[in-house]
Amino acid sequence: MVPLFETKEAKARVSHRVFAATGFVGICLILIYRLVNFPKEEQGGGRRWAWIGIFMAELFFSLFWIITQSVRWSVKNHLPFKDRLSLRHEEKLPGVDIFVCTADPISEPPTLVIKFTFYALLEASHFSKYWIPFCKKFDVEPRSPEAWFAKKLGEKDKGTTYAQECLTMKKQYQDMKKRIESAIAKGSISKETRNQHKGFSEWNCKITKQDHQSIVQIIVDGRDTNAVDKEGCQLPTLVYMAREKRSGCPHNFKAGAMNALIRVSSVISNGPVILNLDCDMYANDGDAIREALCFLLDEKRGHEIAFVQHPQRFDNICKNDLYANSYLVVNQVELAGIGSYDAALYCGTGCFHRRESLSGAKYPKDYRNINEAKNNDNRSVDELEKASKVLASCSYEKNTHWGKEMGLVYGCAAEDVVTGLTIQCREWKSMYFKPNKPAFLGVAPVTLDIALGQMKRWSEGMFQIFLSKYCPFIYGHGKIKFGAQMGYCNYLLWAPLSLPTLFYVIVPPLCLRHGISLFPKVSSLWFIPFAYVFVAQNAYSICEALSCGHKLKSWWNLQRMLIIRRTTAFFFGFVDCIVKQMGLSQTAFAITTKVVTEDVMERYEQEMMEFGSSSVMFTIVATLAMLNLFSLIGGFIDIIFLDFGALGNLMCQIILCGLMVLVNVPIYEALFIRKDKGCMPFSVMFKSMFLASLACLLPYV
């Protein structure tokens, strides 16, 4: 029987392996140089300590580089065959339960996809009776009304009927949007609206965000023959759930919400496949579910697959990807490379799960087909809601395996990654699928502080996994492939990567300022491995980025953001993780704000970096930029006027400092040139100049 999907090796495998082999030789020669040229005592204690530090930094970089090669060694891509799926399974396709999680209707815009507050969901259910037939009639893609009207309005090529119906739909959508946003602005729902649905009786003046009972409301009952759109077609079941929250009872953030949804959905719909999405995402391809089912229903390999992970993609990336939020190389190379070991990372959203695997089941050797598991429960809506509330209560999980062996794992800020790992260690396999047309699109951060805050949370949570019993080299030993264990660490070691990066952007510039050489002379043979590794790595990085869809300028922006992330977000993530490991703090969950003002959005579209606050992270960014500028200028002055012969000894550090200055040009603009609200505050400029000057003026020991 022909398969429902095929797997192909990615191109350029040979060229990558040649680069990896020669790069490894170059790295080994660099480490040998550090060992055989260790400074003697008479050369000064300061140079010896700097040498030890740079050796340790380069050793960590080398080990991390080897780990990054594991995800590039054998990249594979997958192609589903939807036509074969239709021919073989059209009449018995399994049901799919879609979970959409949200935490804050203010930080995350409710009309982006219309889903999170009960009122917004109720309004969306009314609007869907008209929107769904419109989508079917005119083959609308994407089916998010916000995205559709933003991109498609004005097209007249489908005739007058289309134009008229499009304007009618737009008016209906805008009216609904105004009602929702007005309700959120007022903080209340009108009495007339509350009387339209019994669900509003669940709320009273005593309910708060962190203290309320379980709320489960079946807004549309898919079993009801009267639940139809304006064309008479059956509507799917639509449910609103808010799990119980009480002070003193840990709710375990998104992992707790997902586990409650798994239990509640098992009573109401019990679809054998679960798709989970974030609240700021919308479906960009109506065939996404069918494509995922090609993997899960394949007769030869489908029974082994626990989940199918899609890449996270965004529809608000500016022209040259200012904050490096597109993750093109990560999506197209790294995650695909980990997936080649049958261990695709679970990224927390855009993922199709097999219900059994997500509910804690171990892979059964004799498992062959998805259990349709149709819900034949004949209980009334009220009875189902009552039963579901128990499953969403605070006390339900006590003395159970939920959060440990069942559902998403608790106790980690990166609950998605560790959950995927535990599923794979129960002998399930996972698939990474990156279609040419993005299946789902979300909203990327459009300010630097929000982007760094998000990276801090990710790096902290993933390093927490590395330090826990779930470390892939320990927990995954003998359960997943060694390449997959290394692939996980490509991300789990983000936080400690900050330490060698900080050393490299601080110590070599200061040594340049004091005329201390840390690299071989340009005329020395030892210069060759340094030059080769630097040129080869950057040339390969550029080729890889361009092949993934980056432009040269967006690659340059990525290099800037890598330095900024490592020296700020990753560093604070490292510190916070160590503090929590020592028991001095507890895990917290920070929501990534996606709502910004018009002037901020304007600067983002003009590709101007957004600062505007006295953040500690911005102070670090500015201080490092000024330190490298002062060191470069001071070093050049000393070489020109005091010792021109030292140029050959210090050339590597001059190049390093020069590149840091070039990459930080937007930082200097924000410090000294820009006058808009997004520039660096005066307090940040003052502190950065003071700290950088102090570091440069400190005497050399």
Side-chain angles (χ1 to χ4, degrees):
M1 186 175 287
V2 291
L4 294 180
F5 71 93
E6 68 176 4
T7 300
K8 293 183 178 180
E9 297 280 355
K11 298 178 181 178
R13 289 179 63 196
V14 174
S15 59
H16 168 260
R17 292 184 180 184
V18 170
F19 158 74
T22 56
F24 180 75
V25 172
I27 287 170
C28 290
L29 289 173
I30 288 172
L31 296 178
I32 292 171
Y33 168 79
R34 292 296 178 197
L35 292 173
V36 301
N37 290 279
F38 192 80
K40 299 176 182 178
E41 287 188 24
E42 57 266 25
Q43 291 179 296
R47 187 169 188 264
R48 289 166 64 88
W49 282 112
W51 197 274
I52 292 171
I54 204 165
F55 171 73
M56 296 301 293
E58 289 170 349
L59 180 61
F60 189 96
F61 283 142
S62 301
L63 294 174
F64 188 77
W65 180 85
I66 292 171
I67 287 173
T68 64
Q69 300 315 299
S70 69
V71 300
R72 291 169 167 80
W73 194 252
S74 182
V75 179
K76 296 177 182 177
N77 299 316
H78 308 286
L79 177 65
F81 300 110
K82 295 174 289 185
D83 53 340
R84 297 178 186 176
L85 176 75
S86 298
L87 288 172
R88 208 174 299 170
H89 299 284
E90 188 63 40
E91 300 302 321
K92 51 180 179 178
L93 289 174
V96 179
D97 287 345
I98 303 176
F99 297 169
V100 183
C101 297
T102 184
D104 190 339
I106 304 301
S107 297
E108 300 165 320
T111 54
L112 187 67
V113 243
I114 309 299
K115 50 186 122 38
F116 33 163
T117 63
F118 174 72
Y119 173 56
L121 205 58
L122 185 62
E123 285 280 5
S125 70
H126 298 321
F127 177 72
S128 68
K129 296 178 181 180
Y130 301 92
W131 177 248
I132 293 175
F134 176 78
C135 291
K136 291 179 180 177
K137 183 176 180 179
F138 296 107
D139 194 22
V140 170
E141 290 281 352
R143 296 192 176 181
S144 162
E146 184 79 5
W148 169 259
F149 289 124
K151 297 174 182 178
K152 300 292 184 179
L153 186 63
E155 287 189 1
K156 306 290 185 180
D157 57 338
K158 294 187 180 180
T160 307
T161 303
Y162 165 76
Q164 290 176 347
E165 292 195 32
C166 186
L167 290 172
T168 302
M169 287 307 307
K170 183 178 181 181
K171 184 178 185 306
Q172 282 185 267
Y173 176 69
Q174 289 178 334
D175 289 344
M176 178 192 67
K177 186 175 177 179
K178 288 177 183 177
R179 290 194 297 271
I180 294 171
E181 292 178 344
S182 175
I184 291 174
K186 292 178 181 177
S188 63
I189 308 294
S190 68
K191 185 177 180 181
E192 180 183 353
T193 302
R194 292 199 305 270
N195 291 335
Q196 293 177 7
H197 198 282
K198 64 181 180 63
F200 287 108
S201 62
E202 296 278 4
W203 284 267
N204 57 52
C205 60
K206 296 181 181 179
I207 283 181
T208 65
K209 182 180 175 181
Q210 299 297 332
D211 189 5
H212 60 78
Q213 78 282 10
S214 302
I215 302 173
V216 178
Q217 288 293 314
I218 300 176
I219 297 174
V220 178
D221 183 5
R223 305 169 303 172
D224 186 357
T225 56
N226 294 319
V228 295
D229 61 28
K230 72 168 190 173
E231 300 294 332
C233 296
Q234 193 75 34
L235 290 171
T237 298
L238 181 64
V239 181
Y240 173 90
M241 187 208 78
R243 61 205 165 106
E244 182 182 18
K245 289 185 180 180
R246 300 297 181 192
S247 57
C249 294
H251 58 80
N252 298 301
F253 313 110
K254 182 178 179 179
M258 282 288 294
N259 288 345
L261 283 167
I262 293 169
R263 296 192 297 270
V264 169
S265 66
S266 68
V267 170
I268 296 175
S269 52
N270 201 29
V273 178
I274 293 171
L275 164 63
N276 82 282
L277 298 170
D278 284 344
C279 58
D280 60 353
M281 301 180 73
Y282 65 84
N284 187 58
D285 185 358
D287 288 330
I289 293 179
R290 286 179 174 270
E291 290 177 338
L293 291 177
C294 287
F295 299 104
L296 296 172
L297 294 178
D298 182 68
E299 286 79 5
K300 184 178 179 180
R301 296 181 57 194
H303 58 279
E304 303 175 322
I305 300 172
F307 60 84
V308 179
Q309 177 66 60
H310 282 261
Q312 283 188 268
R313 296 178 177 177
F314 310 97
D315 70 349
N316 65 328
I317 301 297
C318 58
K319 182 180 179 181
N320 292 299
D321 195 10
L322 181 63
Y323 298 122
N325 284 323
S326 64
Y327 304 109
L328 292 178
V329 174
V330 172
N331 288 337
Q332 297 188 40
V333 178
E334 295 181 0
L335 293 179
I338 301 174
S340 300
Y341 298 108
D342 298 321
L345 266 65
Y346 170 35
C347 300
T349 185
C351 189
F352 291 86
H353 300 267
R354 190 183 301 272
R355 183 180 285 272
E356 296 101 313
S357 66
L358 200 57
S359 299
K362 189 175 180 180
Y363 171 66
K365 298 297 183 183
D366 58 349
Y367 185 86
R368 281 294 173 267
N369 293 304
I370 285 181
N371 179 14
E372 179 56 26
K374 288 185 178 179
N375 192 348
N376 296 317
D377 200 323
N378 293 319
R379 285 180 288 182
S380 67
V381 167
D382 290 339
E383 290 172 328
L384 287 175
E385 290 175 348
K386 185 176 180 181
S388 298
K389 289 176 182 178
V390 176
L391 302 176
S393 65
C394 288
S395 59
Y396 183 83
E397 293 184 352
K398 289 182 180 178
N399 302 317
T400 70
H401 293 298
W402 283 99
K404 301 171 187 174
E405 299 174 16
M406 297 179 69
L408 273 70
V409 177
Y410 294 158
C412 177
E415 70 284 323
D416 42 14
V417 176
V418 71
T419 298
L421 176 61
T422 59
I423 290 173
Q424 291 153 6
C425 289
R426 293 199 295 267
E427 300 182 43
W428 291 96
K429 295 180 180 179
S430 56
M431 189 72 68
Y432 178 77
F433 175 50
K434 51 181 182 68
N436 293 327
K437 180 180 181 180
F440 310 102
L441 289 173
V443 179
V446 297
T447 65
L448 184 59
D449 57 339
I450 295 173
L452 293 179
Q454 187 180 65
M455 296 303 297
K456 174 190 171 296
R457 176 164 58 85
W458 289 351
S459 62
E460 177 188 339
M462 289 188 285
F463 189 46
Q464 186 182 356
I465 296 172
F466 185 81
L467 297 179
S468 72
K469 69 175 185 178
Y470 296 108
C471 176
F473 292 124
I474 300 172
Y475 190 77
H477 179 68
K479 300 174 183 176
I480 61 175
K481 297 174 183 177
F482 183 67
Q485 297 171 29
M486 294 178 67
Y488 267 98
C489 292
N490 190 48
Y491 303 100
L492 302 191
L493 293 177
W494 272 357
L497 187 61
S498 63
L499 301 181
T501 304
L502 278 166
F503 188 92
Y504 236 84
V505 298
I506 293 174
V507 175
L510 288 176
C511 288
L512 171 63
R513 180 67 189 88
H514 293 288
I516 303 169
S517 174
L518 296 177
F519 296 90
K521 294 181 181 180
V522 176
S523 59
S524 169
L525 288 176
W526 285 113
F527 177 76
I528 296 175
F530 282 90
Y532 176 76
V533 169
F534 175 80
V535 173
Q537 177 60 39
N538 282 284
Y540 183 84
S541 174
I542 291 172
C543 291
E544 185 179 61
L546 294 176
S547 68
C548 290
H550 274 295
K551 299 175 183 176
L552 196 58
K553 187 172 181 180
S554 62
W555 174 84
W556 184 247
N557 288 339
L558 172 61
Q559 306 314 301
R560 180 188 308 112
M561 284 304 303
L562 285 176
I563 295 170
I564 292 175
R565 288 170 182 170
R566 291 179 181 183
T567 56
T568 56
F570 291 0
F571 176 68
F572 284 105
F574 175 82
V575 172
D576 282 2
C577 183
I578 296 299
V579 168
K580 287 168 185 173
Q581 290 294 313
M582 296 171 65
L584 302 178
S585 179
Q586 292 183 338
T587 300
F589 183 81
I591 299 169
T592 304
T593 303
K594 303 292 175 68
V595 180
V596 294
T597 57
E598 287 185 14
D599 62 322
V600 170
M601 200 65 203
E602 226 175 88
R603 287 191 290 272
Y604 174 70
E605 290 170 355
Q606 295 171 3
E607 300 193 329
M608 299 170 65
M609 296 191 78
E610 188 72 27
F611 299 99
S613 66
S614 301
S615 165
V616 177
M617 290 192 188
F618 293 165
T619 301
I620 293 175
V621 170
T623 300
L624 293 176
M626 295 307 301
L627 174 64
N628 279 268
L629 181 62
F630 290 165
S631 297
L632 183 65
I633 294 172
F636 260 126
I637 291 174
D638 288 347
I639 289 171
I640 292 171
F641 293 103
L642 300 178
D643 186 8
F644 192 78
L647 180 63
N649 292 337
L650 298 172
M651 181 58 69
C652 288
Q653 283 154 265
I654 290 172
I655 293 172
L656 186 64
C657 266
L659 288 173
M660 278 294 294
V661 169
L662 285 175
V663 87
N664 280 312
V665 166
I667 312 302
Y668 303 130
E669 290 176 347
L671 283 167
F672 305 115
I673 300 175
R674 287 170 51 186
K675 301 300 180 184
D676 54 77
K677 292 182 180 179
C679 70
M680 286 279 194
F682 176 79
S683 60
V684 172
M685 181 181 70
F686 176 79
K687 285 185 284 188
S688 65
M689 294 187 69
F690 173 77
L691 292 172
S693 301
L694 184 64
C696 289
L697 293 173
L698 285 175
Y700 162 63
V701 179

